[in-house]
Amino acid sequence: MTDQQDYIVITTDVATAARPTTTVTRTKAKPAAATPPGKTTIAALTDKGGVGKSTITRATIEVTRHHLTVPGSYRVLGMDGDSENGQLVAFLGDRDADGHLLPEQNPLTGIDYFDARSPRDRGVLLDMAEREEELLAFDLPGGSLSDFAELNENLRPRDLVDVHRENGRRFVVLLPISPLLASISSVLTAIAMFGPDADYLVVMNVSAGRTEDFVLWHEGITDRHGRHIGGKARAALEAAGGRVLLMPALAPGIYARIDAVGLAFTEALSSPLLPLSQRLSCRRWLHDWTEQLDTIADLLALPTGYSWTI
């Protein structure tokens, strides 16, 4: 969707010919350098479920909404692409006095939702490009990356990137990975789909394995037939200028208890439903995540002078 007009370069050679010759070259005009956007859209995607996508998105929304101090405003809009049954809605949605989810959600305090698997509903991803909030966070259904090969019958993923950029927003494709090849391969798929104008953020979920277990992400291995497997996705990410974060591990027993009693992570920090040791563990986990987010402050459009309160 970026409008790049053709222009013509005409050169005349008078030094090497009896009659001057003219060469006409048609090329593409280079777009003017853009001011770095002060707004960001993050779309969490994967072609494989169970790699921590919703946990990563949920934790990011919670700390930027509730534990970020900035000079001025920093608004975070959250949307769940798994309709009203998504994890973001379940844990972060607006509720009434009796604890029931409100049918109408304010996406700045709760979580709005849509069906990202429906070509008709996916249009909201383009419509939201005109929003003015500093951060838009979309949690899209596990295994839905292939659905985005076509947004609808007219538009493709690169159109989605273009419209956000044209409205002064970075478009960040967030790709959680586990040590398994199927999740790592999603990185190659996404880069091919969304193209060079998107920003790419791979998050290695160390709850699924220690950093040294991500061998297929790093150097790869040789199979019994002598074929090399792995390493290509990391190389493609580096060529695209992408970034890598580590999602720290929260002890599974603590995570299970937080989920079982229906707490948001920030609620767990002071909830009497958890013993002090578990509340402190959750605090340390979120603190470690904010340290990772510090390395992508530009991608999050965090203003100069921000700080965390956790």
Side-chain angles (χ1 to χ4, degrees):
M1 295 177 68
T2 302
D3 185 17
Q4 294 186 8
Q5 299 296 326
D6 287 349
Y7 69 97
I8 295 175
V9 176
I10 301 176
T11 59
T12 301
D13 185 356
V14 298
T16 59
R19 296 178 59 189
T21 59
T22 298
T23 302
V24 178
T25 304
R26 183 174 295 276
T27 184
K28 287 287 187 181
K30 293 183 179 179
T35 302
K39 299 176 290 186
T40 293
T41 301
I42 292 179
L45 278 161
T46 179
D47 240 354
K48 179 174 173 55
V51 294
K53 174 184 53 60
S54 293
T55 298
I56 293 164
T57 311
R58 182 175 148 195
T60 302
I61 291 174
E62 291 196 47
V63 295
T64 51
R65 276 185 178 174
H66 304 296
H67 299 284
L68 180 66
T69 300
V70 297
S73 66
Y74 186 84
R75 297 157 298 177
V76 180
L77 184 150
M79 296 197 71
D80 197 320
D82 209 7
S83 300
E84 67 272 21
N85 300 313
Q87 278 197 44
L88 289 195
V89 178
F91 289 97
L92 303 184
D94 290 322
R95 295 177 179 272
D96 62 22
D98 296 320
H100 300 119
L101 280 168
L102 296 175
E104 296 294 327
Q105 291 280 318
N106 179 349
L108 293 175
T109 58
I111 300 292
D112 207 350
Y113 51 84
F114 65 104
D115 183 1
R117 292 187 174 90
S118 165
R120 179 173 298 178
D121 275 14
R122 281 201 292 269
V124 73
L125 292 164
L126 294 109
D127 298 336
M128 298 296 280
E130 295 180 327
R131 297 286 302 211
E132 291 300 320
E133 288 80 12
E134 286 73 20
L135 180 62
L136 309 184
F138 293 93
D139 184 34
L140 303 172
S144 66
L145 178 58
S146 57
D147 294 334
F148 282 78
E150 294 184 358
L151 295 176
N152 58 31
E153 62 271 20
N154 302 116
L155 300 172
R156 302 296 181 266
R158 298 189 184 202
D159 296 317
L160 178 59
V161 176
D162 286 347
V163 75
H164 280 260
R165 286 170 58 86
E166 289 165 5
N167 282 274
R169 310 195 68 88
R170 286 184 183 269
F171 191 87
V172 180
V173 182
L174 190 157
L175 300 157
I177 62 171
S178 74
L180 298 179
L181 184 61
S183 74
I184 293 171
S185 296
S186 295
V187 177
L188 289 169
T189 303
I191 292 173
M193 284 175 54
F194 289 93
D197 291 330
D199 289 285
Y200 296 97
L201 178 63
V202 166
V203 182
M204 299 169 63
N205 184 4
V206 297
S207 292
R210 299 166 298 178
T211 54
E212 56 265 33
D213 294 328
F214 285 77
V215 62
L216 295 173
W217 171 254
H218 294 297
E219 66 273 17
I221 61 173
T222 301
D223 70 8
R224 59 182 177 176
H225 302 293
R227 296 172 299 196
H228 189 77
I229 301 172
K232 293 180 181 178
R234 181 178 59 82
L237 183 77
E238 291 174 353
R243 318 273 188 94
V244 180
L245 298 184
L246 297 179
M247 183 63 183
L250 178 62
I254 299 175
Y255 197 141
R257 185 161 183 162
I258 290 171
D259 271 19
V261 296
L263 294 174
F265 296 132
T266 52
E267 291 176 324
L269 302 182
S270 57
S271 174
L273 298 174
L274 299 177
L276 177 60
S277 60
Q278 295 187 1
R279 300 199 302 266
L280 291 175
S281 292
C282 186
R283 182 174 297 278
R284 168 53 61 181
W285 175 68
L286 287 177
H287 173 78
D288 290 346
W289 181 233
T290 61
E291 289 187 336
Q292 290 289 304
L293 295 181
D294 283 337
T295 68
I296 58 164
D298 58 325
L299 291 187
L300 295 176
L302 296 179
T304 302
Y306 78 90
S307 62
W308 302 104
T309 61
I310 191 167

